[in-house]
Amino acid sequence: MSTDAIALPGTGLASRPIVVRLHEWVTTVDHKRLGILYIIYALVFLLIAGIEAIVIRIQLIRPHNDFVSPQVFNRMFTMHGTTMIFFVVMPVLFGFANYLLPLMIGARDMAFPRLNAFSFWMTAFGGLLLYFSLVGANGLYGAGNAPDVGWFAYAPLTSQTFSLGHSTDFWILGILVSGFGSIGVAINIVSTVICMRCPGMTLAKMPLFAWLNFVMAGLVILAVSPLTAAQIMLLVDRYLGGHFFDTQAGGSAVMWMHFFWIFGHPEVYVLVLPAFAFVSEIVPVFSRKPIFGYSVMVGATVAIGFISMSVWAHHMFTVGMGANANTFFVLSTMAIAVPTGIKIFNWLATMWGGKIDFKTPMLFCIAFLFQFLVAGLTGVMLGTAPFNWHLGNSYFVVAHFHYVIVGGILFALFGAFYYWFPKMSGKMYNETLGKLHFWLFFIGFHLTFDFMHIPGLLGMPRRIYTYEPGRGWDTWNLIVTIGVFFQAAGILVFLGNFIWSYFRGESVGSDPWDAWTLEWSTNSPPPVYNFATIPEVKSRRPLWDLKHPDDPD
Amino acid sequence: MRLVDKFGHGIGLQIFVCVCCSAAAFADHAVPFSPTNIFAPASTAAKSIFGLSLFVLAVTGAIFVVVFTLLLYSVVKFRRQKNDDGREPPQVYGSNQVEIAWTVIPVLIVVALFMATARVIADIQKASLPANTIEVVAIGHQFWWEYRYPGRGVVTANELHVPVSDPSNPTPTLIKLLSADTDHSFWVPRLAGKTDLIPNHPNSMWIDPQETGLYLGQCAQYCGTQHAKMLLRVYVQSRDDFDRWIQQQRQPAFVKEDASQGQRVFETTACINCHTVAGTAANGRFGPDLTHLMSRDTIAAGAAKNTPESLRQWILNPDSIKPGSLMPAMQLSDQDLVALTAYLETLR
């Protein structure tokens, strides 16, 4: 693997036996190696969950298709959702935060390096536990199978009565274990941002990346804890005779929904704030302007953090909470559109009057802006409770949240991959392949998720393994499935580009983008200790000050 | 080229808006695009949701056009020129006036959207229903619907019958929603938004369909293996037809003499553990009531047409119609199967 990417110059680590090098990776507490481990781990699961998505879409390509059985289909969407949220997007974002935060704030490592390693391995084992269900879920027979309760696993479908065997237990344990990892990372990020900033870097001079990840980590602590509690309660129900969610013994299915979504909605912001962080770093550099309205951006981030804790029940407009509760959650949901909108305007204003360079990272960020705008607007539609009574649990909501997670978060993430790959590897990626990846994925994304809104408007509910002909859904589903293959091709180009560039790419210096934050002041890849001397900063753009001593920030 | 690419961005949404608008334009005629189109409302609640939807679509559409135009403009206008002099553009750090403007305007839009939404929520969820409201209890099962008409002594399955409601003298139907096992959701898009059926958490919703006809929908909350084939059929009938239907459903089963062989098969096998035939020994509650089976158009919650062939197939091998349904394969001899089907066909 990429041991030499992290090696001290001239120590010749690459020539050491592979066992030694592997041992170093397994026992490492270096934030950069752990960051890369998170990222590679997430990419492996991205491929697995992507294949699950392809199975789902082939099954739905036409009505009454029998590519897979209903049982397999239900397992596929459960595993796809669970994997993508808990074992792809969260880890990859933690990986970038891990790798970049200390570099950006001029620190030599995270606040708690050993906790950092512990957190990664908890997340890793969580994912393995979930997939071990495929062999172990039915107990000792060795004939297990994956969970099939859906990624939000509504009670009482998860009770012993309706979920026999151990598949649901593996789902619970996988998320429980990785949840400990997430909380560990979050504590680490909060502590690092508070305690490890270099001299001169006041909170108001931190890169927005650090601010956004700081708020994200706070949300993880608040949101993942209730989920962890709920998983333990569910285990108590299943094995110790508890009745929290056992509706046949007076338990409450609705309580599970509250527990899940008070995790689930802040979780959306846990995922999207780091995406905002990437965009807030990439857009200024490729527009050659500082971020517009830094303090407003910070304020909007903090506002999103607070408001996001009060919107969870907009996932529950159809469960019969009553008119007053519904009205409250409409208001809180719409309120969060304001700080989110402010962010979009500020990114636009950052580009306004700049000199925009359409390198691959910037292409992904511009597509992010467009797609996140659409996702936000369909979100407003879904936040309108009466409209939601139709759209909720239909294919419209599936299209909406994929617009957020793929069109928003994944596009920003691809931008981040291209932007920081030279820093992490010391090599430049291939720009032509990068653009090919962008266009393939862009076309595939729009074929799939634009057209996926329509069957939802025409009454197609989610999570159905097949559908009746004559409902007007056939053509849309065909187009949606075709788009998936463009996306898959794009992903292969993306992986191929990075593997090829890692071995054959051109070496780059420390600052290929002429950027302004501290990570670009050290070598590519950075040495283990990050900075030979701890930097001292005077503004938000320390490298700008260096390059323009006549016109400092 | 860049300009063309950027226009490409909007195509999907434009099509989406076009579909919505044309759906709106045709809403009063035959159902366009789909029998489950949410933009073809046929009852008061669905119509008021539809009105709100158009308002929300118009507002979000306008926001989209404005912001998208700004994005497109800045991408085209502020791209780095070929003959760029390499100098950095003017470094602008922000502007309080601009920030205030684009905070206040969204706040005002949110207030407007919220007020409109709150009114529709109250209109639907706090509506007071007239005294002549029909009451139905819908009970969700894995993977079928049970309907009970309290006070009318009618129990049926999968096909809900309600009277049409004349807007000048409304006879709405109040549906109380219960669940016997897992969560389900009742969604007939042309009649109302969805409401969940949750065990130990009774819900209700009301509909007042204003045109007779068959309205389709299906379970909209994942409830297990056969969630996909838990279809909804609502028959909206004239008041006379509805009253006749109620009369007919109240009768106990009428069994012809020549079907007694099949009745014996039914009553001496596992059938009666789950199914009721009123007026006979069969009083199971786990599966659909079969007293008037032949008055229904479909079996297996809409998964198959109600024909003798599909009845036979359903009894012999339910998985061939609905894999994973809780109806067991009955393992009957050919002779018993023919007799049993003949008996079921008498249950009119």
Side-chain angles (χ1 to χ4, degrees):
Chain A
M1 212 177 285
S2 55
T3 305
D4 49 355
I6 314 297
L8 292 168
T11 50
L13 276 180
S15 60
R16 295 160 67 187
I18 187 142
V19 180
V20 175
R21 285 151 66 195
L22 269 180
H23 180 260
E24 283 172 1
W25 277 93
V26 172
T27 57
T28 186
V29 292
D30 175 14
H31 73 98
K32 296 180 290 301
R33 285 193 167 194
L34 286 166
I36 288 172
L37 282 174
Y38 266 117
I39 290 169
I40 291 173
Y41 166 87
L43 287 176
V44 170
F45 276 102
L46 174 74
L47 290 179
I48 297 172
I51 291 167
E52 286 156 1
I54 292 173
V55 172
I56 292 171
R57 283 318 316 175
I58 292 177
Q59 167 66 14
L60 293 177
I61 197 166
R62 61 186 172 88
H64 287 175
N65 199 6
D66 56 1
F67 179 66
V68 291
S69 69
Q71 290 86 349
V72 169
F73 184 88
N74 297 343
R75 287 175 195 132
M76 285 293 138
F77 70 66
T78 303
M79 294 297 270
H80 170 75
T82 308
T83 309
M84 282 295 192
I85 296 292
F86 293 100
F87 304 110
V88 177
V89 185
M90 282 180 94
V92 78
L93 297 174
F94 291 156
F96 274 95
N98 243 309
Y99 194 100
L100 294 170
L101 252 186
L103 287 167
M104 280 190 165
I105 62 172
R108 289 205 160 123
D109 206 318
M110 298 287 278
F112 305 113
R114 288 159 70 91
L115 173 65
N116 205 10
F118 172 77
S119 303
F120 167 73
W121 291 105
M122 289 302 269
T123 303
F125 285 124
L128 294 183
L129 259 179
L130 179 70
Y131 276 83
F132 187 74
S133 62
L134 284 165
V135 286
N138 277 0
L140 298 174
Y141 309 124
N145 238 316
D148 61 354
V149 288
W151 90 276
F152 44 78
Y154 272 4
L157 202 57
T158 48
S159 68
Q160 288 275 24
T161 318
F162 300 106
S163 175
L164 304 171
H166 294 305
S167 65
T168 299
D169 301 323
F170 280 101
W171 182 85
I172 296 170
L173 291 172
I175 290 176
L176 189 62
V177 169
S178 77
F180 292 135
S182 304
I183 292 171
V185 173
I187 291 171
N188 220 339
I189 290 174
V190 169
S191 314
T192 306
V193 169
I194 291 178
C195 306
M196 307 288 282
R197 282 169 287 126
C198 66
M201 187 176 280
T202 59
L203 283 178
K205 286 182 183 151
M206 283 200 302
L208 272 182
F209 184 95
W211 261 111
L212 281 148
N213 277 286
F214 177 59
V215 174
M216 176 276 277
L219 279 180
V220 167
I221 296 172
L222 291 175
V224 174
S225 311
L227 178 70
T228 306
Q231 304 287 13
I232 293 171
M233 290 157 82
L234 186 53
L235 276 180
V236 169
D237 269 13
R238 282 176 65 86
Y239 289 102
L240 299 175
H243 302 299
F244 296 111
F245 311 117
D246 180 357
T247 49
Q248 304 194 345
S252 170
V254 176
M255 187 166 71
W256 171 269
M257 299 177 191
H258 282 295
F259 266 108
F260 191 88
W261 291 118
I262 201 151
F263 150 77
H265 205 83
E267 170 72 4
V268 177
Y269 292 93
V270 166
L271 303 181
V272 87
L273 290 178
F276 291 172
F278 302 144
V279 175
S280 300
E281 296 302 324
I282 296 171
V283 166
V285 169
F286 288 92
S287 307
R288 309 308 306 161
K289 282 179 64 207
I291 191 81
F292 190 90
Y294 174 92
S295 47
V296 179
M297 286 296 252
V298 171
T301 306
V302 175
I304 288 175
F306 279 109
I307 303 173
S308 75
M309 296 304 299
S310 66
V311 300
W312 77 91
H314 67 213
H315 294 262
M316 298 166 58
F317 282 142
T318 63
V319 306
M321 292 186 298
N324 297 336
N326 284 346
T327 309
F328 170 80
F329 284 103
V330 169
L331 184 61
S332 60
T333 301
M334 289 192 170
I336 209 165
V338 175
T340 315
I342 289 172
K343 282 189 169 296
I344 292 184
F345 293 133
N346 277 296
W347 288 317
L348 276 177
T350 304
M351 288 160 62
W352 197 272
K355 290 182 174 178
I356 303 172
D357 189 358
F358 293 100
K359 291 278 194 323
T360 310
M362 188 62 178
L363 282 181
F364 276 106
C365 285
I366 291 170
F368 161 89
L369 282 179
F370 166 67
Q371 285 147 195
F372 193 71
L373 167 68
V374 176
L377 294 174
T378 53
V380 169
M381 297 176 201
L382 282 156
T384 314
F387 206 179
N388 182 287
W389 296 333
H390 279 312
L391 303 180
N393 259 354
S394 78
Y395 257 89
F396 189 92
V397 82
V398 180
H400 159 75
F401 69 71
H402 281 92
Y403 238 93
V404 175
I405 294 174
V406 181
I409 296 162
L410 191 58
F411 269 75
L413 196 53
F414 283 140
F417 267 103
Y418 286 100
Y419 182 65
W420 280 292
F421 178 78
K423 177 53 63 184
M424 294 180 178
S425 68
K427 303 288 178 62
M428 183 50 81
Y429 63 86
N430 181 311
E431 186 69 37
T432 313
L433 285 179
K435 292 218 161 86
L436 177 66
H437 166 212
F438 173 77
W439 287 110
L440 278 173
F441 205 79
F442 182 82
I443 292 166
F445 170 80
H446 284 280
L447 278 177
T448 296
F449 296 110
D450 292 9
F451 292 99
M452 191 184 274
H453 290 90
I454 298 169
L457 298 173
L458 301 181
M460 179 169 174
R462 67 194 288 199
R463 297 179 163 180
I464 52 174
Y465 77 95
T466 193
Y467 49 95
E468 303 300 303
R471 299 273 166 114
W473 306 341
D474 314 9
T475 315
W476 308 116
N477 275 293
L478 174 66
I479 299 172
V480 167
T481 300
I482 291 170
V484 171
F485 295 101
F486 283 86
Q487 293 181 62
I491 294 278
L492 293 180
V493 172
F494 158 72
L495 294 176
N497 190 358
F498 283 164
I499 293 169
W500 185 86
S501 303
Y502 178 72
F503 292 105
R504 296 266 182 281
E506 241 174 83
S507 293
V508 288
S510 61
D511 185 14
W513 306 123
D514 191 8
W516 302 312
T517 39
L518 283 177
E519 78 271 30
W520 304 104
S521 68
T522 185
N523 295 350
S524 304
V528 177
Y529 47 83
N530 290 354
F531 302 98
T533 52
I534 291 292
E536 201 172 331
V537 302
K538 295 192 172 57
S539 78
R540 286 170 201 150
R541 296 192 295 169
L543 270 63
W544 171 274
D545 295 351
L546 275 180
K547 293 167 189 168
H548 303 270
D550 50 319
D551 177 29
D553 249 8
Chain B
M1 183 58 204
R2 185 74 52 193
L3 196 70
V4 176
D5 294 339
K6 284 292 149 187
F7 272 121
H9 283 183
I11 287 175
L13 200 90
Q14 282 164 13
I15 292 176
F16 160 51
V17 172
C18 286
V19 169
C20 302
C21 296
S22 45
F26 290 107
D28 288 331
H29 307 291
V31 196
F33 303 111
S34 165
T36 47
N37 187 348
I38 67 169
F39 294 122
S43 77
T44 304
K47 282 178 181 170
S48 72
I49 296 175
F50 177 60
L52 178 67
S53 313
L54 290 187
F55 176 64
V56 175
L57 281 170
V59 172
T60 50
I63 297 172
F64 174 79
V65 169
V66 171
V67 181
F68 178 63
T69 310
L70 288 172
L71 175 63
L72 191 63
Y73 179 80
S74 49
V75 165
V76 174
K77 167 86 180 168
F78 301 114
R79 53 204 300 235
R80 170 166 293 184
Q81 302 300 318
K82 287 247 158 53
N83 54 355
D84 185 63
D85 56 8
R87 298 237 299 262
E88 301 284 16
Q91 302 293 298
V92 180
Y93 295 89
S95 152
N96 286 340
Q97 288 92 331
V98 175
E99 298 283 0
I100 290 170
W102 66 42
T103 308
V104 171
I105 294 170
V107 167
L108 295 178
I109 295 174
V110 161
V111 169
L113 282 172
F114 169 68
M115 308 272 256
T117 307
R119 214 187 70 184
V120 175
I121 293 176
D123 282 353
I124 295 175
Q125 293 203 312
K126 291 186 171 172
S128 53
L129 299 175
N132 60 353
T133 299
I134 314 287
E135 241 185 70
V136 185
V137 178
I139 305 169
H141 294 259
Q142 283 184 323
F143 303 96
W144 60 281
W145 305 92
E146 178 179 354
Y147 298 115
R148 306 178 84 87
Y149 293 72
R152 288 184 166 80
V154 170
V155 180
T156 183
N158 294 326
E159 296 179 359
L160 177 63
H161 289 247
V162 298
V164 72
S165 175
D166 176 4
S168 58
N169 177 28
T171 47
T173 304
L174 175 70
I175 308 174
K176 296 203 162 156
L177 301 163
L178 308 173
S179 168
D181 37 49
T182 63
D183 304 333
H184 306 274
S185 192
F186 189 96
W187 188 27
V188 182
R190 296 192 61 207
L191 297 183
K194 61 180 75 63
T195 308
D196 295 354
L197 301 84
I198 300 167
N200 212 8
H201 180 89
N203 277 334
S204 66
M205 61 185 286
W206 60 276
I207 52 174
D208 62 340
Q210 288 154 7
E211 292 162 51
T212 56
L214 171 62
Y215 295 83
L216 300 176
Q218 66 190 84
C219 178
Q221 182 61 269
Y222 177 62
C223 55
T225 311
Q226 267 299 344
H227 165 56
K229 291 192 179 173
M230 190 166 162
L231 307 178
L232 280 158
R233 300 170 70 86
V234 178
Y235 292 75
V236 176
Q237 297 172 301
S238 70
R239 186 68 204 213
D240 290 345
D241 287 350
F242 175 73
D243 288 338
R244 257 197 300 281
W245 180 81
I246 287 283
Q247 275 311 317
Q248 181 259 338
Q249 296 285 312
R250 286 166 68 104
Q251 309 298 323
F254 172 74
V255 183
K256 283 189 196 151
E257 280 297 307
D258 55 357
S260 59
Q261 168 70 13
Q263 184 177 9
R264 195 161 60 245
V265 174
F266 190 87
E267 289 173 3
T268 55
T269 61
C271 303
I272 57 165
N273 292 347
C274 299
H275 295 287
T276 292
V277 178
T280 74
N283 60 0
R285 287 281 310 268
F286 197 67
D289 186 302
L290 301 181
T291 310
H292 301 283
L293 173 65
M294 298 317 287
S295 71
R296 302 182 203 143
D297 292 337
T298 59
I299 60 170
K305 286 216 168 70
N306 188 2
T307 62
E309 297 79 59
S310 50
L311 265 181
R312 257 197 300 279
Q313 193 188 343
W314 179 244
I315 295 163
L316 199 62
N317 184 10
D319 274 8
S320 64
I321 293 176
K322 201 169 164 180
S325 79
L326 300 188
M327 165 95 178
M330 290 308 293
Q331 319 283 353
L332 298 177
S333 67
D334 286 351
Q335 198 185 349
D336 283 355
L337 182 62
V338 170
L340 179 60
T341 317
Y343 167 62
L344 293 176
E345 280 167 46
T346 65
L347 300 175
R348 299 196 172 274

